[in-house]
């Protein structure tokens, strides 16, 4: 985190920005509040967030029904301290001085809510660990 930044910023990236990155961003916003700036984007964004993902997050008490997939921009990466990819391969631009993490998670695309729940729970666990990492400075 740079001295001029009052809070760390995290960008979650997956291909469609319709599942994993949306869940991760929602958990981070929900759990960290305004302590961390949160962004999510996709290298090839879908038209809408996966309905099974919306349902699975609703079961966890988080409403993401109003979210929409966003295109990954160079500016979003440049403005983030930590960039977490989830299966977007080499589509994410790399800048010096950024921290990059790759979370290996199943893709919820085309899956029912039963298949999305374990992915959601794994993301929540990773996000909780991330919060303690980036706010412990």
């Amino acid at each position: 985190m740079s001295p001029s930044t009052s809070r760390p910023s995290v960008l979650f990236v997956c291909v469609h920005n319709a599942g994993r990155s949306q869940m991760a961003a929602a958990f981070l916003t929900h759990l960290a509040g305004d302590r961390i700036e949160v962004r999510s984007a996709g290298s090839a964004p879908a038209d809408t967030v996966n309905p099974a993902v919306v349902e699975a997050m609703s079961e966890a008490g988080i409403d993401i029904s109003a979210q929409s997939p966003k295109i990954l921009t160079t500016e979003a990466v440049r403005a983030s301290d930590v960039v977490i990819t989830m299966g977007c391969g080499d589509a994410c631009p790399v800048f010096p001085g950024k921290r990059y993490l790759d979370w290996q998670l199943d893709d919820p695309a085309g899956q029912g809510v039963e298949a999305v729940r374990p992915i959601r729970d794994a993301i929540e666990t990773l996000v909780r660990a991330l919060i303690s990492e980036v706010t412990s400075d």
Side-chain angles (χ1 to χ4, degrees), residues 12-25:
F12 294 102
V13 183
C14 66
V15 176
H16 301 298
N17 190 222
R20 294 167 289 189
S21 56
Q22 289 284 349
M23 287 190 282

Side-chain angles (χ1 to χ4, degrees), residues 25-106:
F27 271 125
L28 186 54
T29 300
H30 180 75
L31 296 169
D34 60 2
R35 294 182 294 155
I36 299 173
E37 185 178 359
V38 182
R39 298 180 181 86
S40 73
S43 53
D47 293 330
T48 60
V49 175
N50 178 334
V53 166
V54 172
E55 184 179 342
M57 291 303 288
S58 177
E59 291 174 359
I62 301 173
D63 179 10
I64 62 168
S65 60
Q67 296 299 317
S68 59
K70 294 171 249 359
I71 185 74
L72 175 65
T73 64
T74 301
E75 292 74 30
V77 176
R78 190 176 285 128
S80 301
D81 298 308
V82 180
V83 179
I84 298 174
T85 57
M86 304 170 181
C88 71
D90 297 329
C92 189
V94 175
F95 291 100
K98 305 290 177 199
R99 181 167 171 216
Y100 291 87
L101 301 171
D102 185 45
W103 289 356
Q104 299 292 321
L105 297 158
D106 290 336

